[in-house]
Amino acid sequence: MKLKTAIITILLTAIIMPAVAGVVVGAARPDIYLPILNGKRVALLSNHTGMADSATHTLDALIANGVKVTTILSPEHGFRGTADAGETVSSGKDAATGIPVISLYAPGKSSRLTPQLMKGFDAVVVDMQDVGTRFYTYHITMIKLMEAAARAGVQVVVFDRPNPLGMIVDGPVLDMTLRSGVGRIPVPVLHGLTMGEIALMANGEHWLADSLKCNLSVVPCKNYAHSTIYTLPIPPSPNLPDMTSVYLYPSTCYFEGTTASLGRGTDFPFQVYGHPAMKPRGFTFTPRSVPGAKTPPLLGRKCHGVDLRNVSHTDAIAQGVNLEYIIDAYNSLTSGREKFFKPFFDLLIGNRRTREMIINGCSAEQIRQTWQPDIEKYRALRRNYLLYPES
């Protein structure tokens, strides 16, 4: 129980301490970034979350400040953030500026970060709102871009943003034999880093391919600490529509690697779980085709399950990575238990042992204890790359 106590202590400290007014994101600090970008041809890796202020996209802010933006690069969900999870996103042109948009997210296809593309700019700005979990793909796209930039001699400039889950470090560290599109570097599920700090760590620890190292600069946030309770001004992706989804995401995302549903195709994704063969609990939902989830798992099938929308934000944050939901769903199946786990589950949780322990009847707390030695080593490493105080 020591880890749970530590998590709750950190959280309560964050809540009790007076909030630091006015977090300023890196994109709103031209005094820092303009001297770096002056006179350079610049590419921008961003999406709908890349806002310099409530009314101005970072792309428009860069152009207004005289930065020569030649290329727009987009991550999963596209430049406008409307594509389904895992959906191949086409390239094209930005309607407002006419600047070419190159999608970097094309699962199963060769990288679009070709040497020819990289010759088109001298520096690349990264400005996206990450969620703070190892399997969220925005930081993975950034790392791939850092590798291409290192090979091409292109500078990388990260406009940093708060991590809404940055107050917690929890979950297993990735077993690198399971390296995939949802796990790129050996960090826990909840790594407690901003995009800028991840970039510094990946660069400093030689985690880029072939131990490459890029020319990296980070434009830091102002008035931010890792204990800051930061409400995202814009949903980062279609199926994380609000902070309840974000806070439950580290505990419910693993249903993506099972035969159950986590609510894709409803108005409350990542806030429920269920399956047609689960024992009735008095709560049901039926996934349907909706924008951002055109073909959700168990489409059109009535799922018996559990509603987590009544979990408070305080409790959702404090539980960190909570496997009790997965264990409950597995044990509540009246049939099909042998097919419950898919190979994708191991990629999401980051090891093979967790699935085996659940099948063998281990509790969430017993599984949690297996993470602790690696977590402690990671915490020590993490301290070397923090740009912001813990509280």
Side-chain angles (χ1 to χ4, degrees):
M1 296 298 291
K2 289 183 178 179
L3 180 62
K4 284 187 176 180
T5 303
I7 290 173
I8 293 170
T9 300
I10 292 170
L11 176 64
L12 292 178
T13 300
I15 293 173
I16 292 170
M17 285 182 62
V20 179
V23 172
V24 180
V25 298
R29 307 187 73 182
D31 55 316
I32 296 178
Y33 72 69
L34 285 178
I36 301 173
L37 301 177
N38 184 41
K40 293 183 171 74
R41 299 169 302 157
V42 174
L44 173 64
L45 170 59
S46 190
N47 60 8
H48 64 294
T49 67
M51 301 292 288
D53 57 48
S54 61
T56 310
H57 194 279
T58 299
L59 172 63
D60 301 314
L62 288 171
I63 293 172
N65 281 308
V67 177
K68 185 178 181 181
V69 181
T70 64
T71 310
I72 298 169
L73 306 172
S74 69
E76 183 178 12
H77 306 296
F79 186 57
R80 299 300 174 189
T82 56
D84 283 11
E87 180 180 349
T88 297
V89 180
S90 300
S91 299
K93 283 190 175 182
D94 177 54
T97 62
I99 297 173
V101 179
I102 308 297
S103 171
L104 301 186
Y105 193 78
K109 297 186 178 182
S110 58
S111 173
R112 291 170 177 169
L113 292 168
T114 63
Q116 186 63 34
L117 173 67
M118 301 301 293
K119 288 179 182 178
F121 40 86
D122 309 302
V124 58
V125 169
V126 178
D127 185 29
M128 299 179 289
Q129 179 60 63
D130 197 58
V131 170
T133 61
R134 186 187 62 227
F135 36 69
Y136 204 67
T137 62
Y138 291 170
H139 77 272
I140 297 174
T141 299
M142 175 183 69
I143 288 171
K144 292 178 181 177
L145 180 59
M146 289 169 63
E147 292 167 349
R151 294 188 180 97
V154 170
Q155 185 176 11
V156 177
V157 184
V158 179
F159 289 3
D160 215 5
R161 292 181 176 273
N163 177 350
L165 296 168
M167 67 288 290
I168 308 173
V169 175
D170 194 21
V173 172
L174 177 66
D175 174 350
M176 289 298 281
T177 66
L178 293 172
R179 187 172 178 268
S180 71
V182 290
R184 182 85 178 188
I185 54 178
V187 297
V189 170
L190 285 166
H191 48 68
L193 300 171
T194 64
M195 287 281 275
E197 291 168 334
I198 289 175
L200 290 170
M201 180 180 279
N203 214 34
E205 294 301 311
H206 302 284
W207 288 344
L208 303 186
D210 303 320
S211 297
L212 290 165
K213 198 165 187 176
C214 70
N215 178 3
L216 174 66
S217 299
V218 177
V219 181
C221 301
K222 185 179 179 181
N223 299 335
Y224 171 68
H226 280 283
S227 60
T228 302
I229 304 299
Y230 182 76
T231 298
L232 300 182
I234 299 171
S237 52
N239 285 284
L240 292 177
D242 54 38
M243 295 309 296
T244 301
S245 287
V246 170
Y247 293 144
L248 288 169
Y249 183 60
S251 298
T252 57
C253 186
Y254 314 105
F255 284 104
E256 304 271 39
T258 73
T259 57
S261 169
L262 49 70
R264 285 189 186 273
T266 72
D267 296 331
F268 30 82
F270 294 98
Q271 300 177 38
V272 300
Y273 62 90
H275 188 277
M278 276 181 63
K279 297 173 184 176
R281 309 277 188 90
F283 173 72
T284 64
F285 62 92
T286 303
R288 63 191 190 279
S289 181
V290 298
K294 300 181 184 69
T295 56
L298 301 176
L299 175 64
R301 298 182 64 186
K302 183 179 179 179
C303 296
H304 300 281
V306 175
D307 185 356
L308 300 175
R309 286 174 290 174
N310 61 345
V311 176
S312 72
H313 288 182
T314 299
D315 289 343
I317 295 170
Q319 67 189 2
V321 175
N322 183 1
L323 292 178
E324 291 175 0
Y325 306 140
I326 283 284
I327 293 171
D328 174 64
Y330 176 76
N331 290 334
S332 297
L333 286 178
T334 58
S335 63
R337 200 177 287 184
E338 70 283 355
K339 296 180 180 179
F340 180 74
F341 290 106
K342 301 177 182 178
F344 193 48
F345 178 85
D346 291 351
L347 300 183
L348 287 170
I349 196 65
N351 63 37
R352 298 176 179 87
R353 179 169 51 179
T354 297
R355 171 176 46 83
E356 295 170 355
M357 292 184 74
I358 292 173
I359 292 171
N360 290 330
C362 294
S363 69
E365 187 59 31
Q366 287 173 318
I367 297 171
R368 179 184 292 277
Q369 291 305 315
T370 67
W371 306 337
Q372 299 318 303
D374 286 341
I375 283 282
E376 291 309 312
K377 292 177 185 176
Y378 170 78
R379 285 182 184 277
L381 180 65
R382 173 178 172 267
R383 284 193 289 269
N384 298 326
Y385 296 99
L386 293 182
L387 294 172
Y388 314 99
E390 293 281 19
S391 62

